[in-house]
Amino acid sequence: MTEKWTSRLILGLTLIFLIGPFLIIIIAGLSAGQSLAFPPDGISLKWYLKVFEIESFRDSFILSMALAIFGTLIALALGVPAAYALNRYEIPYAETIKTIVAAPIIVPGIIVGLALLRYLVLPIGLTVTLALFFAHTALVLPYAVRVVSSSMTNLRSDMEEAAVLLGCTRLSAFFKVVLPNIKGGVLAAFILGFVTSFNQVPVSLFLSGPGVRTLPIDMLAYMEITYDPSVAALSALLAFLSVGIVFLAEKFLGFSRYV
Amino acid sequence: MFQNRKEGFALALPAALFIGILFLLPVGILLSEAFQLDGGWSLQGYIDFISKPLNQTVFLRTLKLGFLVAAVSAVIGYASAFCIVNLDPKSRGRIFGMVVLPLMISPVARTYAWIVILGRTGIVNDAIIGLGLSDTPIRILFTETAVFLGLLQLFLPLMIISLVSSMENLPRDAISAARVLGANWLQVFTKIILPLTKEGLVMGGTLVFTGSLTAYITPAILGGAKVLMLETLLYQKVSVSNDYVSASIIATILIAMCFGTNLLLKRIATARE
Amino acid sequence: MSSPYILLKDLTLAYGDMVAVPKLNFSCDKGELIALLGPSGCGKTTTMRSIAGLLAPQSGQIYIDGKDVTNVPANKREIGLMFQSYALFPHLSGFENVAFGLRIKKLPEAEIVEKTNKGLDTVGLLHLANRKPSEMSGGQQQRLALARSMVMEPKVLLLDEPLSNLDARLRLEMRAELQRVQRETGITMIFVTHDQSEALALADRIVLMKDGLIEQIGTPDELYNKPTSVFAADFLGFENIFEVSNNVIIGDAGKMSLDFKSESGHLAWRPSGVKIGQGKYKAVVKSVAFAGERREYVLDAEIGVIMADVSAQKKSYKIGESLAFDLPKSEAHFIEQAS
């Protein structure tokens, strides 16, 4: 009996430490007063509403969304064929290719941002937006390859051969037989990539210009000016967004199977 | 049908080229810059960098915090993971989900919460003053303690996940058998649980340690200019003093530390007893 | 003379630099049921895959129905293949699995439905049309795979180890099913197996392969009773094979003189052909196993190990017991091949 209660106490404290802070910012954002405080000075929704009126937040939200969606789509367009090739074929330099594709996980993001700024944006004149797009795509690519690969390992290659013998071309065999059986993995990769890209900070630190800032960077910049509860409200909204997406993915896809 | 090596290579090539050209190449040039001085190859940049007391302090602090966060998360991680593994499957899934959840949330949001908790008018200071422990708010924000707490909250889930997955393979009977043979809990831990979950510990340790070394947001928000870590120092070098050479040097140090940790811990994990 | 339905001419197959099948020549007529028999690694599956078009030959030609199909891609070759793992499409229902190829052909919907239902009916799966393959038993999955190949009305049906994944009872059922389908449609079938009893039971003709080469081609009768090589004899159950020279048989352990005249070459006896209890040779029982009707002995003789199996009705011997045995001329099979 005591063991059971000890276990509950340990888990309870751990979860309070991990999740408690979110509850606090959700509530802090509900403040009716002017400054960030907990417990808040009265309750109102005004900060939650104000978030939508701050123009820079709106612009950076759109940029972050676009980066996350298109960056992940391109990462999948590159990553699905790569995962397929690495699983199906005995290709030359397979280990080298795997190492290259996994590199963005190991290299600290801030260095990537700096490198792209110095050697792509400044000398060549690449726009900051395009550099951001490249960086976010590269960042998501390893996850796309890994998640799609793991959903492909149980897929036997003779299924494709069967499809070809029934009249399919290689390409249509991929779309008719392979893709339907890995679509859960592809969707999981998309969600994981989206969340990773959307929440990404270090890579984007140096990649910001006039009017071009990802949302997290914009929030950091806003916090340097003022500690009003709007950032708390925005943080809470973003947390709901991420949790909502992951919750739906888990419910309809069994997301955690793939990650 | 899949003997065509060229076909397979062609399918994998775009991804490798994309990362190679747009990612590795610029990073490689950046790193090589740290070894160049006055047009020649040299380690002088490193010697100058390390000889500055501020840089030494930041370097050691980064190491210290990384190590502390990894160690404390290992302790909490073992306790939590052990409890989670022993739950019934249904509540186990639910609790595990709650542990994973924070990973999906923006680190900015996760770190921001600590301002509310640790700030001058935050919960902790309210409590301290309310209890009469101090008349004026004490500074917690912008101290190493704040950074430590922020990093711990950020990376603890990674440790718990690694340990839970390695503990799932732990033979349940082994623990009972050891207990029956008269081992106390400490002996059970050091003689059975630890050796059998070593891989999970190393994996989690690598993730937490390198994560802490390369975190930017937490030291930036909770440490500020007072508690610089290597990442925040790098940012400062570029944005305040336009010192790209120092930035490259810090970048090299960071990457070397990450790779070094990966290799070292992997070796420990695969070493024989 | 009519030309053969399938003709493999100097077919050389390789994986990279490793030649699996060098210069294979083989032909068969329409409606024949051919078994490619041999141990694993003998090139039988490789040969089958190249007939299907899944493996391009390094050199040589494949003719089907008088047409050179060597360079015809697999999806245009109109050949059916039933995979050992069945290779069903897990995301599609039984009906859609069978309809798959018909849809690729873009047949009118009504025709697809009619043909698919007929195909499912033929293998007795019409009532399971809406089930996914994962909800079917092993035997049902295999019949579904058969139906999926057969609705395409292929020129040739290839089968990879068609009975190996089934238990003993289902194996008999499936064997009957394959023979029935073959009889009713008159389709040419080539199946790959490593099990001599399967090949003997099903095939019209057996192609025995070893190391990428054809060892012997013949009817089951010919292969069973008249293997032309030591390998063929061994593979088809002659477990006692000895070199013979000047009327002396030479075993691993020693020599014995033969009590009848024989040319030089090899002599082979099945275990059932060895006589026990009488004869001029002596041996010690090394082990004995009771197998219902028969008793299987391993004997330690002067020339080496002798396998014998005799009716369980006869006198039994214990391990370690000495006995007399004979290798009778009437049961001996002579192989010309020298060592």
Side-chain angles (χ1 to χ4, degrees):
Chain A
M1 221 37 213
T2 49
E3 267 182 33
K4 194 172 174 185
W5 284 105
T6 320
S7 155
R8 285 192 181 171
L9 186 70
I10 291 172
L11 286 178
L13 288 174
T14 307
L15 287 179
I16 288 175
F17 178 66
L18 287 178
I19 295 184
F22 296 116
L23 304 179
I24 289 172
I25 51 167
I26 292 169
I27 297 168
L30 285 169
S31 172
Q34 291 306 310
S35 65
L36 192 62
F38 189 90
D41 316 323
I43 296 290
S44 87
L45 274 176
K46 70 176 183 183
W47 296 108
Y48 277 90
L49 296 173
K50 195 196 165 193
V51 167
F52 294 95
E53 288 160 16
I54 300 174
E55 203 169 322
S56 78
F57 280 168
R58 212 159 41 200
D59 294 345
S60 54
F61 177 78
I62 290 169
L63 177 65
S64 275
M65 272 296 208
L67 282 176
I69 292 172
F70 294 112
T72 308
L73 284 179
I74 298 292
L76 282 173
L78 294 166
V80 173
Y84 178 77
L86 288 169
N87 270 289
R88 278 286 185 273
Y89 296 82
E90 297 258 330
I91 59 175
Y93 308 112
E95 284 309 311
T96 313
I97 290 176
K98 276 184 203 164
T99 311
I100 291 175
V101 172
I105 295 184
I106 307 170
V107 180
I110 193 167
I111 298 169
V112 179
L114 180 61
L116 261 59
L117 176 75
R118 292 212 61 198
Y119 304 108
L120 289 180
V121 176
L122 296 180
I124 306 176
L126 193 76
T127 64
V128 173
T129 316
L130 209 52
L132 268 176
F133 175 73
F134 287 157
H136 279 241
T137 304
L139 197 75
V140 170
L141 195 43
Y143 296 102
V145 172
R146 199 187 64 195
V147 174
V148 174
S149 276
S150 75
S151 73
M152 216 176 264
T153 42
N154 295 325
L155 212 62
R156 299 185 48 124
S157 59
D158 50 17
M159 250 170 46
E160 281 162 82
E161 297 183 336
V164 166
L165 289 171
L166 293 168
C168 280
T169 60
R170 284 294 300 282
L171 195 65
S172 70
F174 177 82
F175 284 104
K176 280 191 190 334
V177 174
V178 179
L179 206 53
N181 284 299
I182 61 164
K183 67 168 191 259
V186 173
L187 248 147
F190 180 81
I191 289 163
L192 188 68
F194 178 88
V195 171
T196 305
S197 165
F198 194 84
N199 292 336
Q200 175 60 37
V201 171
V203 161
S204 324
L205 265 181
F206 292 117
L207 297 174
S208 60
V212 183
R213 262 185 193 156
T214 64
L215 185 57
I217 301 294
D218 208 26
M219 287 165 74
L220 283 177
Y222 189 84
M223 282 159 62
E224 278 172 19
I225 305 165
T226 165
Y227 272 141
D228 76 25
S230 60
V231 174
L234 181 53
S235 295
L237 287 174
L238 291 180
F240 281 128
L241 181 74
S242 305
V243 171
I245 291 173
V246 173
F247 178 78
L248 287 179
E250 178 63 42
K251 186 148 187 174
F252 293 109
L253 279 171
F255 180 62
S256 50
R257 262 187 307 153
Y258 298 101
V259 181
Chain B
M1 204 160 93
F2 301 103
Q3 286 86 33
N4 191 338
R5 289 156 61 92
K6 276 185 199 148
E7 192 177 288
F9 191 64
L11 285 171
L13 200 59
L17 280 183
F18 186 90
I19 289 180
I21 294 173
L22 294 172
F23 187 96
L24 288 179
L25 190 64
V27 170
I29 300 175
L30 181 83
L31 296 185
S32 72
E33 202 165 72
F35 294 97
Q36 281 168 350
L37 208 75
D38 306 326
W41 291 86
S42 160
L43 283 176
Q44 194 56 42
Y46 285 89
I47 297 166
D48 292 347
F49 180 83
I50 286 296
S51 63
K52 292 197 180 108
L54 170 73
N55 296 343
Q56 288 172 10
T57 313
V58 171
F59 177 75
L60 291 176
R61 177 189 293 138
T62 307
L63 264 186
K64 182 179 79 182
L65 279 171
F67 186 74
L68 267 179
V69 173
V72 173
S73 71
V75 174
I76 304 177
Y78 263 112
S80 312
F82 192 70
C83 298
I84 290 175
V85 172
N86 283 308
L87 289 171
D88 60 284
K90 204 176 162 197
S91 31
R92 180 172 164 176
R94 201 174 300 153
I95 301 284
F96 194 67
M98 283 160 84
V99 171
V100 176
L101 200 66
L103 291 177
M104 297 295 166
I105 296 173
S106 166
V108 176
R110 297 170 72 185
T111 309
Y112 191 74
W114 289 102
I115 294 177
V116 188
I117 298 169
L118 303 175
R120 292 177 70 82
T121 57
I123 305 166
V124 175
N125 266 318
D126 283 355
I128 287 172
I129 294 170
L131 290 171
L133 296 175
S134 168
D135 295 334
T136 51
I138 50 173
R139 176 196 288 287
I140 313 172
L141 216 55
F142 309 125
T143 64
E144 287 187 8
T145 312
V147 178
F148 168 78
L149 283 173
L151 289 174
L152 186 63
Q153 198 238 3
L154 208 57
F155 294 116
L156 180 58
L158 295 176
M159 180 63 94
I160 298 181
I161 293 169
S162 303
L163 287 176
V164 164
S165 60
S166 74
M167 268 189 207
E168 276 171 344
N169 305 323
L170 201 69
R172 191 67 51 87
D173 299 343
I175 294 169
S176 317
R179 294 283 285 166
V180 170
L181 291 169
N184 62 33
W185 275 113
L186 186 68
Q187 288 167 321
V188 167
F189 181 75
T190 54
K191 295 229 184 310
I192 295 168
I193 300 180
L194 191 60
L196 289 173
T197 56
K198 203 171 62 175
E199 256 178 60
L201 177 64
V202 167
M203 168 97 165
T206 312
L207 290 173
V208 174
F209 183 71
T210 56
S212 300
L213 294 186
T214 60
Y216 173 80
I217 305 157
T218 309
I221 297 181
L222 300 177
K226 293 219 164 52
V227 189
L228 283 173
M229 285 176 71
L230 283 176
E231 284 254 331
T232 38
L233 182 65
L234 191 161
Y235 183 71
Q236 226 184 43
K237 291 284 181 205
V238 174
S239 62
V240 178
S241 46
N242 266 330
D243 180 357
Y244 286 119
V245 175
S246 293
S248 303
I249 288 171
I250 300 173
T252 322
I253 294 174
L254 277 172
I255 288 190
M257 280 162 82
C258 290
F259 271 97
T261 316
N262 267 309
L263 288 178
L264 188 72
L265 288 180
K266 208 173 269 174
R267 182 155 296 178
I268 292 175
T270 50
R272 293 186 170 271
E273 313 281 300
Chain C
M1 194 190 109
S2 69
S3 61
Y5 192 64
I6 299 175
L7 173 65
L8 309 183
K9 203 172 152 200
D10 292 336
L11 195 65
T12 300
L13 304 169
Y15 296 102
D17 295 334
M18 208 197 73
V19 174
V21 175
K23 290 215 167 192
L24 184 97
N25 283 288
F26 165 77
S27 68
C28 78
D29 291 328
K30 195 173 165 86
E32 265 195 295
L33 210 174
I34 303 289
L36 294 180
L37 173 68
S40 63
C42 71
K44 57 190 192 296
T45 304
T46 309
T47 306
M48 186 193 70
R49 288 173 62 82
S50 78
I51 298 174
L54 295 173
L55 178 69
Q58 205 172 56
S59 63
Q61 283 89 41
I62 301 169
Y63 295 88
I64 294 173
D65 204 4
K67 226 178 78 188
D68 183 352
V69 297
T70 317
N71 296 314
V72 175
N75 57 334
K76 302 266 184 265
R77 228 177 248 199
E78 296 175 63
I79 284 178
L81 172 55
M82 198 170 87
F83 288 82
Q84 188 175 9
S85 65
Y86 317 144
L88 294 164
F89 306 132
H91 60 297
L92 299 177
S93 66
F95 182 91
E96 285 304 328
N97 261 283
V98 176
F100 188 90
L102 304 171
R103 293 205 189 284
I104 300 292
K105 254 187 176 172
K106 299 210 164 65
L107 295 184
E109 183 66 23
E111 202 180 331
I112 291 176
V113 171
E114 191 205 315
K115 285 193 169 179
T116 304
N117 281 336
K118 203 177 142 213
L120 283 167
D121 196 28
T122 312
V123 295
L125 286 178
L126 198 51
H127 62 296
L128 299 180
N130 293 322
R131 284 208 196 159
K132 292 269 172 73
S134 58
E135 297 157 350
M136 295 185 185
S137 71
Q140 289 166 343
Q141 288 183 17
Q142 180 150 34
R143 279 182 284 146
L144 187 65
L146 180 63
R148 186 179 65 178
S149 293
M150 288 303 295
V151 289
M152 298 302 289
E153 295 162 19
K155 291 178 173 158
V156 182
L157 179 63
L158 306 170
L159 306 105
D160 190 4
E161 302 275 1
L163 305 177
S164 67
N165 280 351
L166 304 173
D167 62 37
R169 200 179 57 84
L170 277 175
R171 198 172 296 186
L172 285 179
E173 260 178 43
M174 194 65 203
R175 204 158 79 184
E177 179 90 13
L178 288 175
Q179 282 171 323
R180 182 178 63 83
V181 167
Q182 208 259 342
R183 205 174 48 238
E184 283 173 9
T185 57
I187 189 171
T188 313
M189 284 190 190
I190 299 179
F191 75 100
V192 155
T193 180
H194 64 276
D195 183 343
Q196 45 122 341
S197 63
E198 258 177 41
L200 293 169
L202 258 175
D204 296 330
R205 271 198 308 152
I206 296 172
V207 179
L208 181 67
M209 293 182 72
K210 181 200 177 196
D211 299 334
L213 298 169
I214 293 178
E215 192 78 13
Q216 188 174 353
I217 301 181
T219 62
D221 239 338
E222 284 165 352
L223 254 88
Y224 189 77
N225 293 317
K226 290 170 193 138
T228 54
S229 67
V230 171
F231 172 79
D234 185 40
F235 204 80
L236 286 143
F238 287 90
E239 288 180 50
N240 306 300
I241 305 174
F242 301 101
E243 195 187 337
V244 182
S245 170
N246 300 323
N247 293 325
V248 171
I249 47 179
I250 304 156
D252 296 336
K255 298 176 179 180
M256 295 194 312
S257 65
L258 204 57
D259 60 359
F260 57 87
K261 287 206 157 124
S262 168
E263 288 173 56
S264 289
H266 282 82
L267 280 173
W269 287 267
R270 292 185 183 280
S272 57
V274 178
K275 280 222 168 68
I276 275 188
Q278 57 187 34
K280 60 179 281 199
Y281 308 123
K282 293 273 177 290
V284 176
V285 177
K286 213 172 164 188
S287 77
V288 55
F290 177 67
E293 308 263 295
R294 321 275 300 171
R295 227 182 282 277
E296 297 167 6
Y297 291 95
V298 179
L299 304 176
D300 210 355
E302 244 178 283
I303 45 169
V305 173
I306 301 279
M307 314 291 276
D309 99 60
V310 294
S311 163
Q313 308 293 327
K314 296 202 171 160
K315 178 176 188 279
S316 72
Y317 298 86
K318 292 197 181 64
I319 294 176
E321 233 177 301
S322 294
L323 52 72
F325 73 96
D326 195 19
L327 298 171
K329 184 181 182 186
S330 58
E331 298 288 339
H333 172 65
F334 178 72
I335 301 161
E336 221 167 307
Q337 184 186 355
S339 279

